[in-house]
Structures are given as structure tokens and as C-alpha cells.
Amino acid sequence: MRSDAVKTGMQQAPHRSLFNALGLTKEELQKPLIGIVSSYNEIVPGHMNLDKIVDAVKLGVAMAGGTPIVFPAIAVCDGIAMGHQGMKYSLVTRDLIADSTEAMAMAHQFDALVMVPNCDKNVPGLLMAAARINVPTIFVSGGPMLAGRVNGCKTSLSSMFEAVGAYSAGKMTEEEVENYENKVCPTCGSCSGMYTANSMNCLTEALGMGLKGNGTIPAVYSERIKLAKHAGMKIIELLDKNIRPRDIMTKKAFLNALTVDMALGCSTNSMLHLPAIAHEAGIELNVDIANEISSKTPNLCHLAPAGHTYMEDLNEAGGVYAVMNELNKKDLLYTDLITVTGLTVEENIKNCINVDTEVIRPIDQPYSEIGGIAVLKGNLAPDSGVVKRSAVAPEMLKHEGPAKVFDCEEDAIDAIKGGKIVSGDVVVIRYEGPKGGPGMREMLNPTSAIMGMGLGSTVALITDGRFSGASRGACIGHVSPEAAVGGNIALVEDGDIIQIDINANTLNFVISEEELEKRRANWKPKEPKITTGYLARYTAMVTSGNRGAILEVPKLK
């Protein structure tokens, strides 16, 4: 066993003395040491129940003959971090989580790992760590929140942000906003729509790294506890069979994940996270392939914010495996791949029936014949930009309008709420990319303000930052190259006409080559916004959004 390096032989007597200090018995040390990475904390609603999940995993591990040992991972609540300095610290935690988990796993020589994440950056951060460490690993998340109910209708966090915009427009009273405030988030769990956390937990199933239901069983269901026990038991089987993350997360598995992504209509943040996870597995996953996959993958689900169904509804309809079974009817998946169940994709999904065709459309009756995410290119996004096509109003799939340009999110929000954005405008928010932000902040506040003020079907928003999965509308993010490195988005001026054609995958602004070169010659980089601490180091190492905002060590001269 790998853990023999810290527990077997005379040279390890000092190590065993420290295990004695932990109260571990000889019998426990004769068993595999299973690290359980717990993202539990008391600030993230999606993580407040993870202590119960971890306890269930520990029972499962012990029942199957392993010794469970828990250590922590940090987590940021994107909702609480939204719209202020804190959002600069959201995406960047993905790498802190991966790095710290690697450090703990390697330092203590665990034989296998069970990852217990739930929210936005923990899932990809721990998937990155799993690929990097490459010991047998399984994931079990904390599960989604139940939908809220306001005035008899299901709702979710995105409605809350839009209510603030409606209040600013005089369309809601303070009492009505408070009613939403008290009802949209009724339980623990990751927020109830197909936002980033739930997207990544569902894609963990599609990758083969989580058991059936990992992405969809609600946090408050007892079934989630049973799932955690099964995950704890299953890790011993994976260890016995020596099935490792890189055996599971192959290039074909990532293509499966992208296909499921398109069918579910996942958050655009998946276009950051999947390439970053693949990179750790030694696979280069270019986001350009998303359009190729989208062109042949029907969009089968319109979960909030794209529609009025929620994660609990997807779970009742059959979950991720039922979606995969629909996709397999047109041979859109690689089904011979091994997964953490110990079985292949084909064996996992063959009896998983879609029992609610309103939640999961049949493959021959999709919401659209093409997938939920599009990658755009043009002179405004020479490398790429990303949009959640399934959450865009049909009339905004093609749009042309004048630019209203802002060099930070706060200025844009002030303009939107101040009535300075009018029908037809294209809001451009720049210097919010991985380097420029730094940290590539989410733009849920401005997108929600646009929606809440009734401009969602007439105003577009473009940024080198990113969007929450809760954003909806013509919201194009991850524009690369970003403004901070001199990308063309830095050269757009107020009044420039911007042309968006989502179905054609293009994003341009109207400008002559001569004028573009003149502006480029006059452009000067801005001074870094933050020059100390982790964000300063992150700024120096982070790559562009189209590469997944991965960190690269500067080359020695």
C-alpha cells in the first residue's frame, strides 16, 4: 500500500508514534488510509451539511475495510462574494484547493481519496487535484438546494438578484423584495438552478467520477446520506482494482462531459473548468471543440435560469444518467469508458429512463437541435468568447447596437441602475479578466440588473470577466485576449457598433484596420489593481480565459 511509506517498517516507528497520538490502533493502521477531503464550513449554504456527508462517507469506508481520515478544503460562497472585492477571490480558490489537497495527500501518503465538495470552485478544484495526484478517488457532493416558492411559484437565487434590479426600476416594492429574500433559498445545498455548482456536480457524473445522483439528489434528502455511504464503500473497491482518475478522465470522457454539458445547458463556467481539469490529466482540451460538439448535440433541458424547472425536477425525471441515456439513442457518447462504479458508461445508463419529458426533452423533441453553449470568435474576441445560448431570448441571438464601455463592474452597475443603458445598447465591461480583475469576477449583478429593469430582450453584455450560472440573457463572457494584455476589447470605444450573431458563432465590432491599429498604438496597459498577497502572485501566473485560466509557472531565463 502507498501508506506503507508512513506506517510500515522500523524507519516508520516515529511516524507510528504520531498515529498513536491520533488514537489510531494497530488494526486501523493495517488497513488502507483513505483521505476524505471535506469542504465543510459555516459560511457557504451548499457546505453547511457536508459534516453529515463526511460522517456517512467515514461509515462507508470503515464498513468496507478502510481507515477514514478527514482533512479540509476551503470554499467561497459566490453569492455572498458577488458584486464586491470578494469576487476577486472566487475563481482563484480553485487553484488553492487543488494545491492544498495535493500537499495534504502527498505529505501523508493516503492510499485513496474521497472528495466531498459542493459549490462552484470546490468541484473543479478537487477534480484538478484528483487528476494531479492520481490515486483512486471518488466524488460525493453535498447536493442541490430545493427550489424556493414565492407566490405559489418555484424560484431560485437568480430571481433574488433580478428582484433587486426590478426594485431599482421601480417595479417592485421593498416589501416584495423582502418576501423573495426570505423564500428563494429555503434549504441548505448548492443553489437550485443549473448554476455553476450544479453544472459541475452533474458533469462529475458525466466524467465518470461520481455515482448516480451525485449531481441531482437534493441536499436535504436522506438518499444523499446513503449515496455518501456507498461512495465510502466504493472507494475500497476502486483501490482494490487500482482504478485511478486518469484511467477514468480520458480525452473521450471529457468529450462526453462536453456533450452532456450541451444537453443540460450548463453554466458557461464549465468552459473554464473542463479545460483546467483536463490540463491536470495531461489532456489539452481546446474550447473551440465546443461548437463542433454543440452542432450535433440537442439541448434537452431548460433548467433555471433558462427555464422554470429545477434540480429537484431533474432528479425526479431520472437525473444525469437519464439525460445520457437519451443522448445515447443517437450514439452521441463514448460508452465503453470505465467509471468509479467499476462499470462502463453503457452499463451505468442502460436502464435509466426519462420519466418526465417536460424536464428532460426526448432526443427527437429537443428545445433546440444544437447545444446550450456557444463559443464566439471575431475581431472583438480573436481567441474566443462564451455564451449560454440556451438562456438567451430568441430575439437576442442576433443583435447589433452601440457600445457603452466600462472599465470595471461597479461603473457598469451604476450606469444600469442610473438609467443610462437603453434598449439596443451593448454593455462592455473590461479589465475584469483573469489578470485584469484580477480573478475574473462574475457579472451576476449587472446581468440581473438588466433583467430586472426589463432590458433583457434588448440589451447585451460583453466582458472579459465571466458570468454566474445564474446569469441569463445575451451575456458573452471570457472574451480573450482580455483587456489587461491588450486584447481588442481594450480598444472598443463608446458608440462603436457591436455585432453579435450567436448562431453564426461570431462577435465583432465595426472598425477599419487603420483605426484599429491607431488605437492599438495609443493603448497603454493599466497598472495592476493589486500588487501584494495571493492575488498578485495569481496575476503573474494566470493564463487567459480561453485556456481555462490555468496557472503557468514563469519560465526561468
Side-chain angles (χ1 to χ4, degrees):
M1 289 187 288
R2 188 167 180 263
S3 60
D4 286 344
V6 296
K7 66 185 188 184
T8 302
M10 183 54 65
Q11 290 299 317
Q12 281 64 43
H15 305 70
R16 289 194 296 275
S17 72
L18 293 167
F19 284 120
N20 287 334
L22 292 169
L24 291 178
T25 66
K26 275 188 176 181
E27 291 81 3
E28 286 174 300
L29 292 180
Q30 288 168 357
K31 298 175 182 179
L33 300 186
I34 310 300
I36 302 173
V37 186
S38 172
S39 300
Y40 169 77
N41 63 47
E42 295 182 341
I43 188 65
V44 183
H47 291 210
M48 63 178 287
N49 66 319
L50 294 190
D51 55 341
K52 308 295 188 298
I53 303 298
V54 167
D55 286 345
V57 171
K58 290 172 69 176
L59 279 173
V61 169
M63 285 190 291
T67 297
I69 300 176
V70 180
F71 64 90
I74 64 167
V76 163
C77 176
D78 277 22
I80 295 173
M82 195 71 65
H84 57 86
Q85 188 82 350
M87 182 45 70
K88 295 179 185 293
Y89 287 88
S90 171
L91 177 61
V92 305
T93 64
R94 186 185 70 181
D95 296 276
L96 282 175
I97 292 160
D99 291 349
S100 60
T101 302
E102 175 196 0
M104 289 293 287
M106 298 304 292
H108 301 104
Q109 293 292 288
F110 292 106
D111 295 299
L113 298 168
V114 182
M115 307 294 198
V116 187
N118 208 29
C119 289
D120 294 23
K121 308 310 170 299
N122 291 80
V123 185
L126 290 179
L127 282 165
M128 289 164 66
R132 190 186 299 175
I133 301 162
N134 202 35
V135 298
T137 303
I138 193 169
F139 278 67
V140 56
S141 76
M145 185 183 291
L146 293 179
R149 282 168 174 77
V150 177
N151 301 325
C153 298
K154 286 184 179 180
T155 189
S156 60
L157 182 66
S158 52
S159 301
M160 186 70 252
F161 280 89
E162 291 177 17
V164 175
Y167 174 79
S168 298
K171 296 181 179 182
M172 288 183 74
T173 65
E174 186 173 345
E175 291 74 20
E176 288 171 324
V177 173
E178 186 177 4
N179 187 39
Y180 271 79
E181 182 181 326
N182 290 328
K183 294 180 178 178
V184 298
C185 296
T187 72
C188 63
S190 48
C191 296
S192 56
M194 187 53 79
Y195 310 150
T196 304
N198 292 326
S199 295
M200 293 310 302
N201 281 320
C202 287
L203 295 182
T204 299
E205 282 190 61
L207 277 170
M209 290 297 293
L211 299 177
K212 181 180 184 292
N214 179 69
T216 60
I217 299 170
V220 295
Y221 282 15
S222 298
E223 189 181 353
R224 174 68 54 180
I225 300 296
K226 292 165 68 176
L227 180 74
K229 290 176 183 176
H230 284 132
M233 290 185 274
K234 185 62 70 173
I235 192 61
I236 303 301
E237 179 185 329
L238 293 172
L239 178 60
D240 289 343
K241 294 179 178 178
N242 196 29
I243 299 174
R244 301 174 181 236
R246 291 194 183 196
D247 300 325
I248 296 169
M249 290 194 285
T250 62
K251 179 68 174 286
K252 288 181 178 179
F254 281 101
L255 297 179
N256 277 354
L258 280 169
T259 300
V260 174
D261 189 329
M262 297 300 167
L264 286 172
C266 290
S267 163
T268 52
N269 282 312
S270 64
M271 294 295 104
L272 282 175
H273 299 322
L274 288 175
I277 299 161
H279 178 75
E280 295 291 351
I283 298 164
E284 293 306 312
L285 191 69
N286 192 316
V287 295
D288 290 351
I289 200 171
N291 286 340
E292 179 185 336
I293 291 174
S294 180
S295 68
K296 58 186 179 184
T297 306
N299 177 223
L300 304 182
C301 299
H302 265 191
L303 295 147
H308 300 289
T309 54
Y310 296 83
M311 295 305 297
E312 62 200 67
D313 302 312
L314 179 60
N315 186 62
E316 294 301 318
V320 175
Y321 279 12
V323 173
M324 294 175 74
N325 201 18
E326 287 289 341
L327 293 170
N328 198 39
K329 291 175 182 178
K330 288 194 174 180
D331 297 321
L332 295 174
L333 297 173
Y334 296 98
T335 59
D336 59 343
L337 310 180
I338 194 67
T339 71
V340 291
T341 65
L343 304 174
T344 64
V345 171
E346 181 177 18
E347 292 170 316
N348 287 339
I349 69 176
K350 64 180 178 182
N351 295 318
C352 296
I353 307 302
N354 174 13
V355 298
D356 190 337
T357 56
E358 292 301 311
V359 178
I360 305 171
R361 288 280 184 90
I363 193 75
D364 55 355
Q365 299 174 34
Y367 281 101
S368 75
E369 294 292 342
I370 53 178
I373 289 178
V375 175
L376 312 184
K377 286 192 175 185
N379 68 355
L380 187 48
D383 289 340
S384 66
V386 179
V387 63
K388 187 172 182 174
R389 174 168 37 205
S390 59
V392 179
E395 58 269 32
M396 288 299 289
L397 291 170
K398 189 171 185 178
H399 179 75
E400 181 173 308
K404 296 284 181 67
V405 182
F406 305 93
D407 286 351
C408 68
E409 177 190 5
E410 289 82 358
D411 289 350
I413 292 171
D414 288 344
I416 295 165
K417 292 184 175 179
K420 296 177 182 178
I421 304 302
V422 299
S423 178
D425 283 347
V426 178
V427 177
V428 177
I429 305 177
R430 62 192 181 190
Y431 294 100
E432 290 286 8
K435 286 184 180 292
M440 206 177 185
R441 289 196 287 179
E442 289 183 342
M443 301 292 151
L444 181 55
N445 275 351
T447 61
S448 298
I450 288 169
M451 282 292 175
M453 298 185 78
L455 296 170
S457 60
T458 59
V459 169
L461 192 153
I462 297 170
T463 181
D464 53 8
R466 59 195 180 92
F467 295 109
S468 164
S471 290
R472 62 189 178 104
C475 307
I476 302 165
H478 309 191
V479 168
S480 303
E482 63 174 293
V485 298
N488 285 355
I489 191 171
L491 309 180
V492 179
E493 296 181 358
D494 280 336
D496 285 346
I497 299 300
I498 293 179
Q499 299 171 330
I500 301 166
D501 192 335
I502 293 172
N503 285 335
N505 304 120
T506 59
L507 178 62
N508 292 289
F509 67 122
V510 178
I511 188 171
S512 68
E513 281 298 320
E514 293 77 14
E515 177 63 18
L516 188 63
E517 289 306 316
K518 178 182 174 184
R519 293 185 191 180
R520 182 171 288 112
N522 291 329
W523 177 80
K524 291 181 175 58
K526 291 182 178 290
E527 290 296 318
K529 295 175 184 175
I530 295 177
T531 57
T532 60
Y534 177 57
L535 286 182
R537 298 196 299 277
Y538 183 88
T539 301
M541 297 173 67
V542 71
T543 63
S544 64
N546 70 304
R547 295 185 58 199
I550 60 172
L551 301 187
E552 284 188 335
V553 179
K555 293 180 180 178
L556 296 174
K557 294 181 179 178

PDB file of all heavy atoms in Angstrom, residues 400-419:
ATOM      1  N   GLU A 400     -27.327  43.894 -32.941  1.00  0.00           N
ATOM      2  CA  GLU A 400     -26.357  44.929 -33.313  1.00  0.00           C
ATOM      3  C   GLU A 400     -26.726  46.200 -32.567  1.00  0.00           C
ATOM      4  O   GLU A 400     -27.889  46.602 -32.543  1.00  0.00           O
ATOM      5  CB  GLU A 400     -26.399  45.176 -34.824  1.00  0.00           C
ATOM      6  CG  GLU A 400     -25.402  46.215 -35.315  1.00  0.00           C
ATOM      7  CD  GLU A 400     -25.353  46.307 -36.830  1.00  0.00           C
ATOM      8  OE1 GLU A 400     -25.185  45.247 -37.479  1.00  0.00           O
ATOM      9  OE2 GLU A 400     -25.490  47.434 -37.357  1.00  0.00           O
ATOM     10  N   GLY A 401     -25.727  46.814 -31.940  1.00  0.00           N
ATOM     11  CA  GLY A 401     -26.015  48.030 -31.194  1.00  0.00           C
ATOM     12  C   GLY A 401     -24.752  48.751 -30.766  1.00  0.00           C
ATOM     13  O   GLY A 401     -23.638  48.217 -30.875  1.00  0.00           O
ATOM     14  N   PRO A 402     -24.919  49.967 -30.244  1.00  0.00           N
ATOM     15  CA  PRO A 402     -23.768  50.777 -29.832  1.00  0.00           C
ATOM     16  C   PRO A 402     -23.189  50.318 -28.501  1.00  0.00           C
ATOM     17  O   PRO A 402     -23.923  49.913 -27.596  1.00  0.00           O
ATOM     18  CB  PRO A 402     -24.356  52.187 -29.713  1.00  0.00           C
ATOM     19  CG  PRO A 402     -25.799  51.958 -29.378  1.00  0.00           C
ATOM     20  CD  PRO A 402     -26.196  50.705 -30.091  1.00  0.00           C
ATOM     21  N   ALA A 403     -21.884  50.413 -28.384  1.00  0.00           N
ATOM     22  CA  ALA A 403     -21.192  50.021 -27.156  1.00  0.00           C
ATOM     23  C   ALA A 403     -21.322  51.101 -26.097  1.00  0.00           C
ATOM     24  O   ALA A 403     -21.223  52.293 -26.384  1.00  0.00           O
ATOM     25  CB  ALA A 403     -19.727  49.746 -27.444  1.00  0.00           C
ATOM     26  N   LYS A 404     -21.553  50.654 -24.867  1.00  0.00           N
ATOM     27  CA  LYS A 404     -21.402  51.502 -23.680  1.00  0.00           C
ATOM     28  C   LYS A 404     -20.299  50.842 -22.862  1.00  0.00           C
ATOM     29  O   LYS A 404     -20.476  49.731 -22.343  1.00  0.00           O
ATOM     30  CB  LYS A 404     -22.699  51.567 -22.892  1.00  0.00           C
ATOM     31  CG  LYS A 404     -23.870  52.226 -23.619  1.00  0.00           C
ATOM     32  CD  LYS A 404     -23.731  53.739 -23.660  1.00  0.00           C
ATOM     33  CE  LYS A 404     -24.913  54.415 -24.352  1.00  0.00           C
ATOM     34  NZ  LYS A 404     -26.176  54.291 -23.615  1.00  0.00           N
ATOM     35  N   VAL A 405     -19.149  51.492 -22.755  1.00  0.00           N
ATOM     36  CA  VAL A 405     -17.924  50.835 -22.284  1.00  0.00           C
ATOM     37  C   VAL A 405     -17.604  51.241 -20.847  1.00  0.00           C
ATOM     38  O   VAL A 405     -17.628  52.427 -20.496  1.00  0.00           O
ATOM     39  CB  VAL A 405     -16.736  51.189 -23.198  1.00  0.00           C
ATOM     40  CG1 VAL A 405     -15.475  50.468 -22.746  1.00  0.00           C
ATOM     41  CG2 VAL A 405     -17.056  50.830 -24.647  1.00  0.00           C
ATOM     42  N   PHE A 406     -17.256  50.236 -20.028  1.00  0.00           N
ATOM     43  CA  PHE A 406     -16.904  50.464 -18.626  1.00  0.00           C
ATOM     44  C   PHE A 406     -15.668  49.640 -18.283  1.00  0.00           C
ATOM     45  O   PHE A 406     -15.524  48.496 -18.715  1.00  0.00           O
ATOM     46  CB  PHE A 406     -18.074  50.066 -17.717  1.00  0.00           C
ATOM     47  CG  PHE A 406     -19.355  50.747 -18.075  1.00  0.00           C
ATOM     48  CD1 PHE A 406     -20.261  50.134 -18.934  1.00  0.00           C
ATOM     49  CD2 PHE A 406     -19.634  52.025 -17.607  1.00  0.00           C
ATOM     50  CE1 PHE A 406     -21.432  50.764 -19.297  1.00  0.00           C
ATOM     51  CE2 PHE A 406     -20.810  52.664 -17.966  1.00  0.00           C
ATOM     52  CZ  PHE A 406     -21.714  52.034 -18.820  1.00  0.00           C
ATOM     53  N   ASP A 407     -14.785  50.244 -17.487  1.00  0.00           N
ATOM     54  CA  ASP A 407     -13.530  49.585 -17.142  1.00  0.00           C
ATOM     55  C   ASP A 407     -13.589  48.809 -15.831  1.00  0.00           C
ATOM     56  O   ASP A 407     -12.566  48.312 -15.357  1.00  0.00           O
ATOM     57  CB  ASP A 407     -12.390  50.602 -17.082  1.00  0.00           C
ATOM     58  CG  ASP A 407     -11.951  51.051 -18.469  1.00  0.00           C
ATOM     59  OD1 ASP A 407     -12.419  50.454 -19.458  1.00  0.00           O
ATOM     60  OD2 ASP A 407     -11.139  51.994 -18.567  1.00  0.00           O
ATOM     61  N   CYS A 408     -14.784  48.699 -15.243  1.00  0.00           N
ATOM     62  CA  CYS A 408     -14.976  47.842 -14.074  1.00  0.00           C
ATOM     63  C   CYS A 408     -16.465  47.581 -13.897  1.00  0.00           C
ATOM     64  O   CYS A 408     -17.315  48.306 -14.432  1.00  0.00           O
ATOM     65  CB  CYS A 408     -14.378  48.448 -12.805  1.00  0.00           C
ATOM     66  SG  CYS A 408     -15.217  49.931 -12.225  1.00  0.00           S
ATOM     67  N   GLU A 409     -16.770  46.548 -13.139  1.00  0.00           N
ATOM     68  CA  GLU A 409     -18.155  46.150 -12.914  1.00  0.00           C
ATOM     69  C   GLU A 409     -18.958  47.228 -12.198  1.00  0.00           C
ATOM     70  O   GLU A 409     -20.118  47.500 -12.545  1.00  0.00           O
ATOM     71  CB  GLU A 409     -18.176  44.861 -12.082  1.00  0.00           C
ATOM     72  CG  GLU A 409     -19.568  44.380 -11.721  1.00  0.00           C
ATOM     73  CD  GLU A 409     -19.558  43.259 -10.706  1.00  0.00           C
ATOM     74  OE1 GLU A 409     -18.475  42.904 -10.201  1.00  0.00           O
ATOM     75  OE2 GLU A 409     -20.652  42.733 -10.415  1.00  0.00           O
ATOM     76  N   GLU A 410     -18.355  47.872 -11.197  1.00  0.00           N
ATOM     77  CA  GLU A 410     -19.091  48.845 -10.392  1.00  0.00           C
ATOM     78  C   GLU A 410     -19.613  49.995 -11.238  1.00  0.00           C
ATOM     79  O   GLU A 410     -20.762  50.446 -11.067  1.00  0.00           O
ATOM     80  CB  GLU A 410     -18.200  49.380  -9.265  1.00  0.00           C
ATOM     81  CG  GLU A 410     -17.906  48.388  -8.162  1.00  0.00           C
ATOM     82  CD  GLU A 410     -16.772  47.424  -8.473  1.00  0.00           C
ATOM     83  OE1 GLU A 410     -16.219  47.496  -9.580  1.00  0.00           O
ATOM     84  OE2 GLU A 410     -16.436  46.598  -7.595  1.00  0.00           O
ATOM     85  N   ASP A 411     -18.791  50.488 -12.179  1.00  0.00           N
ATOM     86  CA  ASP A 411     -19.227  51.601 -13.028  1.00  0.00           C
ATOM     87  C   ASP A 411     -20.400  51.175 -13.912  1.00  0.00           C
ATOM     88  O   ASP A 411     -21.325  51.963 -14.161  1.00  0.00           O
ATOM     89  CB  ASP A 411     -18.069  52.085 -13.903  1.00  0.00           C
ATOM     90  CG  ASP A 411     -16.998  52.811 -13.102  1.00  0.00           C
ATOM     91  OD1 ASP A 411     -17.236  53.106 -11.921  1.00  0.00           O
ATOM     92  OD2 ASP A 411     -15.912  53.065 -13.670  1.00  0.00           O
ATOM     93  N   ALA A 412     -20.364  49.954 -14.372  1.00  0.00           N
ATOM     94  CA  ALA A 412     -21.452  49.456 -15.217  1.00  0.00           C
ATOM     95  C   ALA A 412     -22.759  49.369 -14.431  1.00  0.00           C
ATOM     96  O   ALA A 412     -23.835  49.757 -14.927  1.00  0.00           O
ATOM     97  CB  ALA A 412     -21.090  48.094 -15.791  1.00  0.00           C
ATOM     98  N   ILE A 413     -22.682  48.854 -13.200  1.00  0.00           N
ATOM     99  CA  ILE A 413     -23.892  48.736 -12.370  1.00  0.00           C
ATOM    100  C   ILE A 413     -24.488  50.109 -12.096  1.00  0.00           C
ATOM    101  O   ILE A 413     -25.712  50.309 -12.180  1.00  0.00           O
ATOM    102  CB  ILE A 413     -23.564  48.005 -11.055  1.00  0.00           C
ATOM    103  CG1 ILE A 413     -23.221  46.543 -11.339  1.00  0.00           C
ATOM    104  CG2 ILE A 413     -24.738  48.084 -10.082  1.00  0.00           C
ATOM    105  CD1 ILE A 413     -22.681  45.790 -10.144  1.00  0.00           C
ATOM    106  N   ASP A 414     -23.636  51.081 -11.798  1.00  0.00           N
ATOM    107  CA  ASP A 414     -24.128  52.446 -11.558  1.00  0.00           C
ATOM    108  C   ASP A 414     -24.860  52.975 -12.785  1.00  0.00           C
ATOM    109  O   ASP A 414     -25.916  53.618 -12.666  1.00  0.00           O
ATOM    110  CB  ASP A 414     -22.968  53.376 -11.201  1.00  0.00           C
ATOM    111  CG  ASP A 414     -22.402  53.110  -9.813  1.00  0.00           C
ATOM    112  OD1 ASP A 414     -23.078  52.422  -9.021  1.00  0.00           O
ATOM    113  OD2 ASP A 414     -21.281  53.576  -9.533  1.00  0.00           O
ATOM    114  N   ALA A 415     -24.313  52.720 -13.969  1.00  0.00           N
ATOM    115  CA  ALA A 415     -24.930  53.209 -15.201  1.00  0.00           C
ATOM    116  C   ALA A 415     -26.258  52.506 -15.468  1.00  0.00           C
ATOM    117  O   ALA A 415     -27.245  53.141 -15.866  1.00  0.00           O
ATOM    118  CB  ALA A 415     -23.984  53.006 -16.378  1.00  0.00           C
ATOM    119  N   ILE A 416     -26.300  51.203 -15.241  1.00  0.00           N
ATOM    120  CA  ILE A 416     -27.539  50.445 -15.479  1.00  0.00           C
ATOM    121  C   ILE A 416     -28.633  50.924 -14.544  1.00  0.00           C
ATOM    122  O   ILE A 416     -29.757  51.252 -14.968  1.00  0.00           O
ATOM    123  CB  ILE A 416     -27.294  48.929 -15.311  1.00  0.00           C
ATOM    124  CG1 ILE A 416     -26.320  48.413 -16.377  1.00  0.00           C
ATOM    125  CG2 ILE A 416     -28.626  48.162 -15.404  1.00  0.00           C
ATOM    126  CD1 ILE A 416     -25.743  47.034 -16.070  1.00  0.00           C
ATOM    127  N   LYS A 417     -28.304  50.990 -13.250  1.00  0.00           N
ATOM    128  CA  LYS A 417     -29.314  51.400 -12.270  1.00  0.00           C
ATOM    129  C   LYS A 417     -29.653  52.889 -12.374  1.00  0.00           C
ATOM    130  O   LYS A 417     -30.731  53.308 -11.956  1.00  0.00           O
ATOM    131  CB  LYS A 417     -28.842  51.051 -10.862  1.00  0.00           C
ATOM    132  CG  LYS A 417     -28.788  49.545 -10.620  1.00  0.00           C
ATOM    133  CD  LYS A 417     -28.421  49.204  -9.193  1.00  0.00           C
ATOM    134  CE  LYS A 417     -28.493  47.693  -8.957  1.00  0.00           C
ATOM    135  NZ  LYS A 417     -28.121  47.326  -7.568  1.00  0.00           N
ATOM    136  N   GLY A 418     -28.723  53.636 -12.968  1.00  0.00           N
ATOM    137  CA  GLY A 418     -28.976  55.070 -13.155  1.00  0.00           C
ATOM    138  C   GLY A 418     -29.736  55.396 -14.425  1.00  0.00           C
ATOM    139  O   GLY A 418     -29.914  56.564 -14.754  1.00  0.00           O
ATOM    140  N   GLY A 419     -30.175  54.384 -15.151  1.00  0.00           N
ATOM    141  CA  GLY A 419     -30.983  54.609 -16.349  1.00  0.00           C
ATOM    142  C   GLY A 419     -30.196  55.047 -17.564  1.00  0.00           C
ATOM    143  O   GLY A 419     -30.772  55.522 -18.545  1.00  0.00           O
TER     144      GLY A 419
END
